[in-house]
Amino acid sequence: MNITVSQYSLLKMIKRHQMISITHLAKECELERSTVGRNIKVLEKMNFIYFAAPENKNDQRENLIAVTDYGSRVLEEAIQIWQSVQKEIEDKLGGEDKARELLTILNSI
């Protein structure tokens, strides 16, 4: 699978909203709009997302983006891999409780 963590995060956020503007996506991700815009262009070239017409046809200021069927399949595969890796890490740390305990300690530093 050839997808970065940031691409994974953006795809998950777009999928959650079904359709979202780049500006709104940037706010949700707490990133600069220009940064999100560059990443969106990459996702579009990879055929993970597409630009859709705005719901209000009179407002052409900003198009919406949505995940393609192919992007959805890639995202589902990535989610399975992510969950598998998370489980493996938790197991190596001694279970979910130990993993949370470690996270609490790390967050307090």
Side-chain angles (χ1 to χ4, degrees):
M1 170 162 302
N2 194 16
I3 184 173
T4 67
V5 172
S6 61
Q7 291 168 340
Y8 170 80
S9 297
L10 285 174
L11 277 176
K12 271 189 83 170
M13 185 71 69
I14 297 165
K15 182 78 173 176
R16 185 177 314 131
H17 286 277
Q18 296 180 342
M19 288 192 166
I20 188 170
S21 71
I22 294 174
T23 301
H24 189 135
L25 181 61
K27 287 178 185 174
E28 290 279 319
C29 296
E30 297 182 4
L31 295 169
E32 294 290 326
R33 188 189 185 288
S34 60
T35 301
V36 172
R38 283 191 300 277
N39 287 313
I40 289 302
K41 287 180 185 177
V42 173
L43 292 175
E44 183 183 28
K45 286 180 185 175
M46 296 171 83
N47 195 32
F48 291 165
I49 60 109
Y50 67 95
F51 285 88
E55 293 173 355
N56 180 357
K57 304 271 187 221
N58 296 326
D59 186 359
Q60 296 293 320
R61 289 178 289 176
E62 188 159 33
N63 287 329
L64 301 174
I65 50 178
V67 177
T68 63
D69 289 340
Y70 175 65
S72 291
R73 288 192 303 274
V74 169
L75 182 58
E76 286 304 315
E77 186 178 337
I79 288 170
Q80 295 300 318
I81 292 169
W82 183 269
Q83 290 172 343
S84 173
V85 170
Q86 291 289 99
K87 177 76 171 113
E88 185 178 328
I89 292 169
E90 285 175 4
D91 291 346
K92 286 182 179 181
L93 292 172
E96 187 177 341
D97 291 338
K98 293 285 186 186
R100 283 195 183 136
E101 190 176 318
L102 177 59
L103 197 58
T104 300
I105 292 167
L106 291 172
N107 284 330
S108 70
I109 297 176

